[in-house]
Amino acid sequence: MPEVGSLGLTAPAAQLLLPLFLHFGLVVGLYAALTWARLVAVRRGDAAKADFARADGDPPVSARIQRNLANQFEAPVFAWIAALLLILAAQITVWDVAAAWVFLAGRLIHTAVQCSGDNVALRGQVFTINFLAVLWLMGHALLAVLGVA
């Protein structure tokens, strides 16, 4: 396959990584949203700057954003690990690329649900979307590392 970019990645590798880099964009956006929500909370008098030194110091709006931001460093880390293993094993399939896009869609929907309200049941259902995608990626990465894929 032809190389793409200066790292010599194949087109399938670039296709697999694109939704993961877009996920990083989501993380950057969440940092900006959290900073803004905290600034607004301080200006309104809902919180003092010192309140943010504690994990439980955020008012409800910024607390939801902060928790969602923390979620971006939990299960999603495994999507990156799986992608890198699949790239190293040169075993990327169209199903892996699809799973990476499903992962991103699930993360975006999960973020919208978590940051906009307290519907924990719906948030759990939506989390299942991206979790299944990560399970696919990790499962295929395991098979690739074992030489079975």
Side-chain angles (χ1 to χ4, degrees):
M1 292 204 165
E3 290 188 2
V4 176
S6 63
L7 291 178
L9 294 176
T10 63
Q15 292 168 358
L16 180 63
L17 289 174
L18 179 58
L20 299 181
F21 279 114
L22 292 174
H23 174 253
F24 175 73
L26 171 64
V27 170
V28 170
L30 284 168
Y31 273 118
L34 179 60
T35 300
W36 181 256
R38 286 177 170 176
L39 178 65
V40 168
V42 169
R43 286 190 177 162
R44 286 187 181 159
D46 296 335
K49 290 180 183 178
D51 292 340
F52 304 122
R54 298 184 329 270
D56 64 344
D58 279 284
V61 172
S62 59
R64 284 194 297 269
I65 297 169
Q66 187 278 333
R67 184 62 196 128
N68 185 262
L69 183 58
N71 287 161
Q72 304 308 323
F73 297 96
E74 294 169 357
V77 171
F78 293 102
W80 277 96
I81 292 168
L84 294 175
L85 290 171
L86 290 167
I87 290 167
L88 290 172
Q91 294 293 321
I92 301 164
T93 69
V94 66
W95 296 106
D96 300 322
V97 174
W101 284 104
V102 168
F103 160 78
L104 176 63
R107 287 278 80 196
L108 291 168
I109 297 166
H110 183 265
T111 293
V113 170
Q114 185 170 20
C115 291
S116 66
D118 294 323
N119 189 337
V120 177
L122 178 59
R123 194 170 76 218
Q125 293 168 347
V126 170
F127 173 79
T128 302
I129 296 169
N130 62 78
F131 187 69
L132 290 173
V134 171
L135 281 176
W136 171 272
L137 290 168
M138 283 300 287
H140 187 215
L142 172 64
L143 294 175
V145 167
L146 295 175
V148 180

